[in-house]
């Protein structure tokens, strides 16, 4: 009986450790494959999402479509009523659809929005100006407890870079290879 309890505890610990492994980031080659079919840019996707669900976009990420489907942008909008709305924007056609209204936005997201003076689209533009490349992802989040924008770019030399920006001025505060 004790042996079974030890085996069960060990098996549970093994499962939990595997579940805690974060998803692997896409390589530059994988990003090249995903972006090959993209005709709608990240800022265009942000604009399409805001037309369908007015508010402030705080997250937009290019995703590969599953089983041959077109790539799409997963977009998170915080409405004027502080509701979190998730949308999908087709990266080849620009068609936008609301996936889910998740209800009340988190206090963390509302605080980040209050800290930001520039929009996500403006942060993307500033990141591209500072470090030319194709925007893949952008989000308003925090870096070491301080609100910031993070923009991921695929550069012409096939290097994926993460750029951090000040949410007030849009100045680049850091960058690193992804």
């Amino acid at each position: 009986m004790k042996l079974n309890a030890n085996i069960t505890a060990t098996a549970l610990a093994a499962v939990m450790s595997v579940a805690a492994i974060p998803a692997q980031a896409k390589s530059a080659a994988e990003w090249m494959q995903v972006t090959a079919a993209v005709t709608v840019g990240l800022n265009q996707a942000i604009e399409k999402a805001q037309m369908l669900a007015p508010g402030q976009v705080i997250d937009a990420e290019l995703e590969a479509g599953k089983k041959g489907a077109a790539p799409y942008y997963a977009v998170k909008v915080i409405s004027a009523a502080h509701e979190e709305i998730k949308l999908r924007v087709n990266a080849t056609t620009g068609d936008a659809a609301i996936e889910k209204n998740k209800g009340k936005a988190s206090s963390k997201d509302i605080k980040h929005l209050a800290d930001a003076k520039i929009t996500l689209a403006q942060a993307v533009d500033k990141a591209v100006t500072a470090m030319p490349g194709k925007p893949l992802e952008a989000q308003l989040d925090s870096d070491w407890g301080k609100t910031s924008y993070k923009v991921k770019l695929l550069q012409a030399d096939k290097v994926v870079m993460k750029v951090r920006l000040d949410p007030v001025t849009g100045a680049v505060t850091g960058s690193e290879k992804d």
Side-chain angles (χ1 to χ4, degrees), residues 15-67:
V15 168
M16 294 303 287
S17 68
V18 169
I21 296 172
Q24 294 292 321
K26 288 180 180 56
S27 68
E30 290 169 316
W31 277 120
M32 294 293 290
Q33 186 177 9
V34 171
T35 60
V38 171
T39 58
V40 175
L42 186 67
N43 277 354
Q44 290 172 300
I46 290 170
E47 184 179 312
K48 296 275 187 180
Q50 286 176 308
M51 283 198 260
L52 190 58
Q56 294 194 26
V57 175
I58 63 167
D59 193 347
E61 299 182 19
L62 180 61
E63 301 284 345
K66 292 183 182 167
K67 297 181 183 178

Side-chain angles (χ1 to χ4, degrees), residues 56-58 112-113 116-124 138-142 146-151 163-168 170 173:
Q56 294 194 26
V57 175
I58 63 167
H112 290 324
L113 276 174
K117 301 303 176 220
I118 64 170
T119 66
L120 189 67
Q122 290 168 323
V124 169
Q139 64 184 171
L140 177 63
D141 66 356
S142 63
K146 185 176 180 187
T147 300
S148 68
Y149 282 107
K150 178 177 70 177
V151 179
V163 181
R164 288 238 176 237
L165 301 112
D166 182 276
V168 175
T173 59

Side-chain angles (χ1 to χ4, degrees), residues 11 20 31 41 45 54 56 70 76 88 91 96-97 99 111 114 118 124 130 156 172:
W31 277 120
Q56 294 194 26
K76 183 161 93 171
R88 278 190 183 210
E99 232 178 37
K111 181 205 175 300
I118 64 170
V124 169
V172 172

